[in-house]
Amino acid sequence: MGQSTLTAPSDTLARPRVSAGSTLRVLLAVARKEWIIFTRYPTWVIAIIVWPVIFPLGYIFTAKALGGPNGASLHAFERLAGTSDYISYIVMGTVMWMWLNMTLWDIGFHLREEQMRGTLESNWLCPVPRLLMMMGASLAKLSTSFIFLILTVIEFRLVFGVSLVRGNVPLLLAVVLLTMPSIYGIGVMFASLVIRFREANAMVFLVRGLVSVFCGITYPLAVLPVWMHGVAQFIPITYAIRDTRAAALSNASFAQVAPDLAKLGAFAVVLPVLGCLAFAYTERRARRTGSLAQY
Amino acid sequence: MAEEIVRVEDLRKLFPRKVRREGAKPWTRVIPGRGSVTEPFVAVDGVSFEIRRGEIFGLLGPNGAGKTTTIRMLSTLLEPTSGSATINGYDIRKQTSLVRQSLGAVLTGERSIYWKLTGRENLEYFATLYHMPPRTAKQRIQELLERLDLAHRADEYVERYSSGMKQRIAIAKALLANPPVLLLDEPTIGLDPQSARNLRELVLEVRSEGRTILLTTHYMEEADLLSDRVGIIDSGRIIALDTPERLKGSLRQLDVMKLELHDYDPALDGVLASIPAVENVVSSPAGNDGAWYVSLHARDTRAVLPSVIELVGSRSGRITNLQVAQPTLEDVFIAHTGKQLRD
């Protein structure tokens, strides 16, 4: 061991000097840690570069095949979707779906990963609110998602010559920003459920399956049976996909999508609150049952 | 400040456990209400002790005795079912943040740090979680890295460290906020003998700086070497608590006979125990080659020795080694529970 001596333990240091600055530093430290670990697995970086282009291709070629020569059979699609630009239409939906999917995997499995690594307890031993740590992790995932969205826009411009940022750009940004709290609220709820049940694959598959069917990621909702419309209206991604398409492809105004924006706003309040409640329940339950140390 | 920095009073922890309902078919799934009932499992059963400032207090017991559950309750990771405890004057139920600020804890050893970060990055991260100002943290981290002989490897990924180095980083993390109390759960488990010895030296050095240490272990030599006082715990209860010397001294009226045998039949334990003046007999296999260890506590070894040799020789195996030894903490455990620490 080294020869230098340590500072003697101090009772004054036993009191945390918590300030807005130190709280912000905690938030950023968690985000930075997550980001560093993320970048130290290079295959993940490759995945977020390749995936945005690969994933929608299957749908695009299916649409091309169904559209027939020179898009002769696209009239029905155009009548229901309000646009004949099926590539942009599909990409808008798949990007939103991939964003939700990434969030469910990344944030939803964040606590579980910490638990399996053995670091969850050492984090929860620190004198900071545990929700703050969760928010820090979400911040890191948000930056990853942001890079993913930027890469998607660039790649589609280069590969397909399709510009995704067009039409009413302020509305497009407003929809994306208004969707964020809902998606991260769902993510935090998932993170809590994963700690509770210690197995989330089935739930993630269920949710993304529901979203892909009910929210119209590659087709207009008009083709769905009526009862499915009823379900779709309780999923925020439905409005997010519909409004990004309306803003980018149909140059819709704020007034035209105002009812949808109001619903997205309501989801943006309710879902994060539900996420926090689920997290608080999970934290309390973990303290009672000792499930933190269980794999 | 009070002399006692850790006070634990009648701490209990019950976990619900699903068990098969009596009479249920063996293949019935354990589902609440159908074929099973929920019964409380008592992990910690009314534990009480106090730790004085600057003391190393060892909780010694076999696996499943309740050591880790106790330490998890004290570190606020688990909520006690009943009872109370304070750390540095703070209530573990009501003042969890202040308790955590008063504690440094190494509960999951080398798994408590991030292997994909460097040693320094780990410490920087956890320093921020203790609200340390960046400049203070930087200075403190360098101080700890040098003190724990990690400075030369501080910027390498932890995954490249040896187990001993990982454990030292985990201890550095626990010392970051300069806490008055350190909780160490089985700190040397999984370490090679040299690393374990180095770590024990480190624990003694950390204590000499004025820190209070609560450590759990199932190694009786470790508890004996490090602890100022030892609480022996079994089935969730502290069955003996004193200095190692006094605990061993309590057996002085008994001799401890250690036998090594080949082809021993453990059924002979009861026969040996029936010899007058023999108090306890515990046997365990020493390996896969048919060797066995037998510990025998007797009031007068000289008187019982001929009977022991004759019984073993005539009924089971042969004695390859025999010694009359000083009592160890394991003998104290045997005397109280009738079983060995490793059982």
Side-chain angles (χ1 to χ4, degrees), chain A residues 16 79 98 114 185-186 198 204 208 254 292:
Chain A
R79 190 161 35 82
M98 283 190 282
E114 294 272 16
I186 295 171
R198 298 196 289 278
V204 169
R208 66 184 194 175
F254 276 87
L292 281 186

Side-chain angles (χ1 to χ4, degrees), chain A:
Chain A
M1 299 300 144
Q3 292 302 305
S4 61
T5 53
L6 290 173
T7 315
S10 160
D11 292 338
T12 53
L13 271 175
R15 288 188 175 277
R17 282 178 283 183
V18 184
S19 62
S22 74
T23 304
L24 182 64
R25 276 199 299 274
V26 169
L27 194 74
L28 295 176
V30 178
R32 181 173 174 267
K33 177 258 298 176
E34 288 295 318
W35 179 249
I36 290 173
I37 292 174
F38 173 73
T39 55
R40 285 181 185 167
Y41 289 98
T43 49
W44 296 5
V45 180
I46 293 166
I48 68 162
I49 293 172
V50 175
W51 204 36
V53 174
I54 296 291
F55 182 71
L57 276 181
Y59 294 109
I60 290 169
F61 287 127
T62 305
K64 199 166 186 172
L66 292 172
N70 303 318
S73 304
L74 282 174
H75 302 301
F77 171 80
E78 189 175 356
R79 190 161 35 82
L80 290 169
T83 177
S84 59
D85 181 2
Y86 63 88
I87 293 179
S88 301
Y89 189 90
I90 288 171
V91 170
M92 288 282 176
T94 53
V95 165
M96 295 305 285
W97 184 86
M98 283 190 282
W99 184 19
L100 175 75
N101 194 36
M102 281 176 69
T103 309
L104 289 182
W105 284 112
D106 289 349
I107 298 181
F109 281 89
H110 165 69
L111 290 180
R112 180 69 177 147
E113 274 172 9
E114 294 272 16
Q115 188 183 36
M116 291 175 71
R117 267 197 299 244
T119 45
L120 185 61
E121 287 192 333
S122 57
N123 275 281
W124 283 23
L125 278 166
C126 296
V128 290
R130 287 148 186 180
L131 189 60
L132 188 66
M133 285 189 252
M134 189 73 221
M135 286 166 64
S138 303
L139 191 64
K141 307 307 180 190
L142 181 66
S143 61
T144 318
S145 303
F146 187 69
I147 292 169
F148 166 80
L149 290 175
I150 298 279
L151 282 173
T152 306
V153 168
I154 294 170
E155 286 173 8
F156 272 88
R157 181 79 188 164
L158 295 175
V159 176
F160 296 103
V162 172
S163 173
L164 298 176
V165 184
R166 65 190 209 221
N168 189 344
V169 177
L171 176 59
L172 190 63
L173 288 175
V175 172
V176 170
L177 287 174
L178 211 51
T179 309
M180 275 181 189
S182 300
I183 287 189
Y184 289 95
I186 295 171
V188 174
M189 263 192 278
F190 251 82
S192 311
L193 288 172
V194 171
I195 284 286
R196 169 71 180 83
F197 295 107
R198 298 196 289 278
E199 159 55 47
N201 290 341
M203 286 187 291
V204 169
F205 287 130
L206 178 69
V207 168
R208 66 184 194 175
L210 286 175
V211 167
S212 65
V213 173
F214 284 90
C215 301
I217 64 165
T218 56
Y219 44 77
L221 288 182
V223 302
L224 294 178
V226 177
W227 70 268
M228 290 179 83
H229 287 250
V231 177
Q233 68 176 331
F234 293 104
I235 306 174
I237 310 301
T238 304
Y239 306 102
I241 292 174
R242 186 160 69 195
D243 294 349
T244 47
R245 281 172 178 158
L249 307 181
S250 308
N251 202 19
S253 67
F254 276 87
Q256 283 173 298
V257 296
D260 279 5
L261 291 180
K263 285 170 190 164
L264 271 178
F267 279 121
V269 173
V270 171
L271 289 174
V273 169
L274 287 179
C276 291
L277 289 174
F279 185 80
Y281 164 77
T282 300
E283 185 192 349
R284 184 78 204 279
R285 190 180 178 282
R287 288 192 65 214
R288 280 203 319 270
T289 61
S291 58
L292 281 186
Q294 295 166 359
Y295 307 118

Side-chain angles (χ1 to χ4, degrees), chain B residues 168-281:
Chain B
R168 293 211 301 277
I169 279 285
I171 289 182
K173 174 188 81 72
L175 291 170
L176 266 173
N178 209 8
V181 180
L182 211 57
L183 304 183
L184 305 175
D185 189 18
E186 303 273 8
T188 59
I189 200 160
L191 295 186
D192 61 78
Q194 180 63 42
S195 300
R197 191 161 60 236
N198 290 344
L199 202 107
R200 287 178 191 131
E201 282 171 17
L202 175 63
V203 170
L204 290 171
E205 286 169 18
V206 167
R207 189 271 302 271
S208 71
E209 290 153 4
R211 256 171 268 272
T212 308
I213 298 170
L214 167 59
L215 73 91
T216 71
T217 181
H218 64 275
Y219 299 133
M220 59 105 185
E221 300 90 349
E222 186 166 281
D224 199 350
L225 176 75
L226 295 179
S227 311
D228 297 305
R229 286 187 306 138
V230 173
I232 297 181
I233 186 167
D234 185 47
S235 302
R237 288 175 167 273
I238 290 191
I239 52 177
L241 193 162
D242 214 324
T243 63
E245 289 69 31
R246 283 197 195 138
L247 287 169
K248 289 181 286 186
S250 67
L251 295 187
R252 284 280 148 77
Q253 69 276 25
L254 294 177
D255 291 332
V256 178
M257 195 188 296
K258 308 262 185 197
L259 296 115
E260 197 177 324
L261 305 106
H262 258 282
D263 303 323
Y264 177 75
D265 178 3
L268 199 61
D269 286 3
V271 182
L272 290 171
S274 67
I275 299 171
V278 172
E279 298 275 324
N280 288 298
V281 179

Side-chain angles (χ1 to χ4, degrees), chain A residues 4 116 121 123 127 287, chain B residues 72 79 101 111 125 147:
Chain A
S4 61
M116 291 175 71
E121 287 192 333
N123 275 281
R287 288 192 65 214
Chain B
R72 280 177 199 277
E79 204 173 87
Q101 189 72 19
R111 293 182 64 246
Y125 170 66
R147 173 67 186 74

